[in-house]
Amino acid sequence: MNAMVELRSVHKSFGTTEVLRGIDLTVAAGEVAVVLGPSGSGKSTLLRTINHLEKVDRGWISVDGGLVGYRRGAESPARRAFGRGGRGRAADRLYELREREVLRQRTGIGFVFQNFNLFPHLTVLENLVEAPVAVQRRPRKEAEAAARKLLERVGLAEKAGAYPGQLSGGQQQRVAIARALALAPKVLLFDEPTSALDPELVGEVLDVIKDLAHRGTTMIVVTHEIGFAREVADTVVFMDGGRIVEQGPPRQVLDRPRHERTRAFLSKVL
Amino acid sequence: MPSDTLDAPAVPAAPPGGPDPAAWRIVPRRRTGQWAAAAVLLVLLVLALASVVRNPAFQWGVVADYFLTSAVLRGLGLTLWLTAVVMALGFGLGTLLAVLRLAGNPVLRAVGRGYVWLFRSVPILVQLLFWFNIGALYPVILGVRTVNLLSPVAVAVIGLTLHEAAYAAEVVRAGILSVGAGQVEAAQALGLGAGRRLRRIVLPQAMRAILPPAGNMLIGTLKGTSIVSVIAVQDLLYSVQLVYHRTYQVIPLLLVATLWYVLVTSVLGVGQHYLERRYARGTAGAR
């Protein structure tokens, strides 16, 4: 099994509040992991640490074999020249990367927000083309052709010239998914992608995500949609109080939960 | 007897106009007060205008004589040039200062904050006089005599720009803060660098909040440049002053300057309207 995303002993606090208290998680390439849990359990923070929107306090995260946000051991020559740190202990140190390097890593990690966060002053097509042209230096013509294909895939080919404000919530979220896909990321992270939608619009967004799952995209999805988890997830992760309470295939976690806490949560949301 | 305790029904039980509600006609409320107020104001306005036109002390003939003279037009030209240069440089520097004030680096934040504090605290008139007398403070800089270095116009540009930038910084900062944090996060998640995020994502959206106060500042600067008359820069106001010091026709020449200020301000207001519409792209009411 080839690990695409790996988290080891990840800790994160905001002030004195411990939000993540030692998270260990492995998501294999092509796998869909669905993270469930009550509000405040740390699900969203967990997701945000994976593309370094939040820095971790302890532990490490890797995507496709590369550490996210840090470099291990091997100091920069300049630092060694000044005689700081190092001295044979470099192997257990993580050095924070420059912003430029973090930004490059992020292009391999697609992120879809609860509130879409489309750029309202740009058209749908411009939203999709912005990063491939500016970050990956792809020719505009080529990026636009690729963007139109992605819009077709999410069923919004005719909305290329529209502004986000002219679209429904479901359409906006589909555009946001296409925008994340435009960078051809190795992993897609979804932070409650349907929580801000009218109930009747949830289905169209979930259909797009299911389609991606069938195409073998590696995904981590934070959601409250239990039915979606049952249908699409390879692994269901249940979190509470900054810890992973249990994880496993949906049949096991959703139908025969081993922990009382999981049982209590599921009985409320089902 | 129960009907005694109720008021007489205002609406008859059987509605007039037949049973088809689609055929009913809606009659707007009468706005008698509004019309009356408008009429009274109109009368007062006409009376005021008539008094201004007929009062010989305004000397409209003299106003007309000087309105388009080359001295006045040259002064107007300098005022417009000074306004444009000071606005451009001031907002350029102001944007930089706003970014400094919002930077993660505490040293940069302190620099931005310190600048705004200093240049908002010093009255513009005092600052102009300082720059004008820079030779008294630093007679020689890098081997050049400062008296020869700064012409009055250069002093005006420097002083007004530094002053303008402090206020522009706050206007731009307010604009940047008005853009949601989610926009920056989305841009970061897409790997866009800090410069690109600012230019392409944040500032265009910030413009909607920046433009109305910036329009205010533009008009304020247009009129505010008249302060340079104290260091003998021949702007619009100083040009008419030169005339009336000679002819003693103070009021009509001040009217010449005033009319030009009003005219230019009106044109700028129209420009602002169209600029605001452009930056409202993608929002309700646009397109």
Side-chain angles (χ1 to χ4, degrees), chain A residues 48 118-119 121 130, chain B residues 183 185 188 196-197 200:
Chain A
R48 290 163 60 87
L118 292 176
F119 305 130
H121 60 301
E130 177 66 19
Chain B
Q183 290 290 308
E185 283 193 345
Q188 283 178 328
R196 181 89 184 180
R197 290 201 295 268
R200 180 79 173 150

Side-chain angles (χ1 to χ4, degrees), chain B residues 176-244:
Chain B
I176 292 176
L177 289 176
S178 76
V179 179
Q183 290 290 308
V184 177
E185 283 193 345
Q188 283 178 328
L190 289 168
L192 297 177
R196 181 89 184 180
R197 290 201 295 268
L198 186 72
R199 278 197 321 278
R200 180 79 173 150
I201 306 300
V202 175
L203 282 182
Q205 297 185 63
M207 285 305 273
R208 296 199 64 208
I210 290 174
L211 279 177
N216 246 355
M217 282 185 63
L218 175 58
I219 288 164
T221 306
L222 172 76
K223 295 178 298 177
T225 53
S226 59
I227 203 167
V228 301
S229 56
V230 298
I231 53 171
V233 172
Q234 287 193 33
D235 74 322
L236 179 57
L237 181 62
Y238 195 66
S239 301
V240 301
Q241 284 176 334
L242 286 179
V243 176
Y244 71 61

Side-chain angles (χ1 to χ4, degrees), chain B:
Chain B
M1 282 321 246
S3 66
D4 285 355
T5 60
L6 293 170
D7 290 332
V11 182
D20 177 16
W24 292 14
R25 210 161 55 88
I26 291 168
V27 182
R29 196 187 322 141
R30 283 200 190 161
R31 303 182 187 277
T32 325
Q34 194 173 305
W35 285 106
V40 170
L41 277 176
L42 203 64
V43 168
L44 289 177
L45 194 67
V46 168
L47 287 178
L49 267 178
S51 128
V52 167
V53 171
R54 284 153 82 186
N55 183 342
F58 281 98
Q59 304 181 60
W60 290 108
V62 179
V63 172
D65 287 345
Y66 280 102
F67 195 68
L68 293 171
T69 53
S70 63
V72 168
L73 291 182
R74 265 202 309 277
L76 174 68
L78 186 75
T79 289
L80 292 178
W81 177 84
L82 202 55
T83 305
V85 169
V86 166
M87 272 307 272
L89 293 179
F91 263 84
L93 182 56
T95 304
L96 179 71
L97 288 165
V99 171
L100 289 186
R101 285 204 65 176
L102 295 168
N105 182 331
V107 180
L108 299 181
R109 276 208 305 274
V111 170
R113 189 184 292 246
Y115 180 98
V116 171
W117 167 78
L118 181 64
F119 283 92
R120 278 201 310 196
S121 309
V122 180
I124 178 63
L125 180 56
V126 174
Q127 211 209 119
L128 282 175
L129 292 175
F130 266 124
W131 288 108
F132 196 60
N133 295 301
I134 190 79
L137 295 169
Y138 296 97
V140 178
I141 293 177
L142 300 173
V144 184
R145 285 172 53 80
T146 47
V147 184
N148 305 331
L149 205 59
L150 296 181
S151 66
V153 171
V155 165
V157 169
I158 293 173
L160 289 172
T161 297
L162 295 180
H163 180 79
E164 184 93 356
Y167 286 89
E170 289 298 274
V171 169
V172 174
R173 188 168 68 97
I176 292 176
L177 289 176
S178 76
V179 179
Q183 290 290 308
V184 177
E185 283 193 345
Q188 283 178 328
L190 289 168
L192 297 177
R196 181 89 184 180
R197 290 201 295 268
L198 186 72
R199 278 197 321 278
R200 180 79 173 150
I201 306 300
V202 175
L203 282 182
Q205 297 185 63
M207 285 305 273
R208 296 199 64 208
I210 290 174
L211 279 177
N216 246 355
M217 282 185 63
L218 175 58
I219 288 164
T221 306
L222 172 76
K223 295 178 298 177
T225 53
S226 59
I227 203 167
V228 301
S229 56
V230 298
I231 53 171
V233 172
Q234 287 193 33
D235 74 322
L236 179 57
L237 181 62
Y238 195 66
S239 301
V240 301
Q241 284 176 334
L242 286 179
V243 176
Y244 71 61
H245 284 150
R246 202 156 30 83
T247 66
Y248 296 100
Q249 292 162 317
V250 177
I251 296 295
L253 278 150
L254 284 179
L255 279 174
V256 168
T258 305
L259 284 178
W260 273 117
Y261 282 120
V262 170
L263 200 67
V264 175
T265 304
S266 312
V267 172
L268 291 177
V270 174
Q272 183 182 345
H273 171 75
Y274 283 102
L275 213 57
E276 281 182 19
R277 223 171 51 173
R278 165 163 163 62
Y279 279 102
R281 268 181 315 172
T283 58
R287 304 193 91 204

Side-chain angles (χ1 to χ4, degrees), chain A residues 33-34 58 66 69 72 78 83 108 129 150 166 168 191 193 206 220 225 230 244 250 254 259 261:
Chain A
V34 171
R58 221 152 14 106
R72 185 172 171 211
V129 166
L150 284 171
Q166 298 165 325
S168 75
D191 188 7
L206 291 183
I220 303 179
E225 301 286 333
R230 192 186 301 277
I244 292 179
L254 298 177
H259 289 261
R261 187 67 193 87

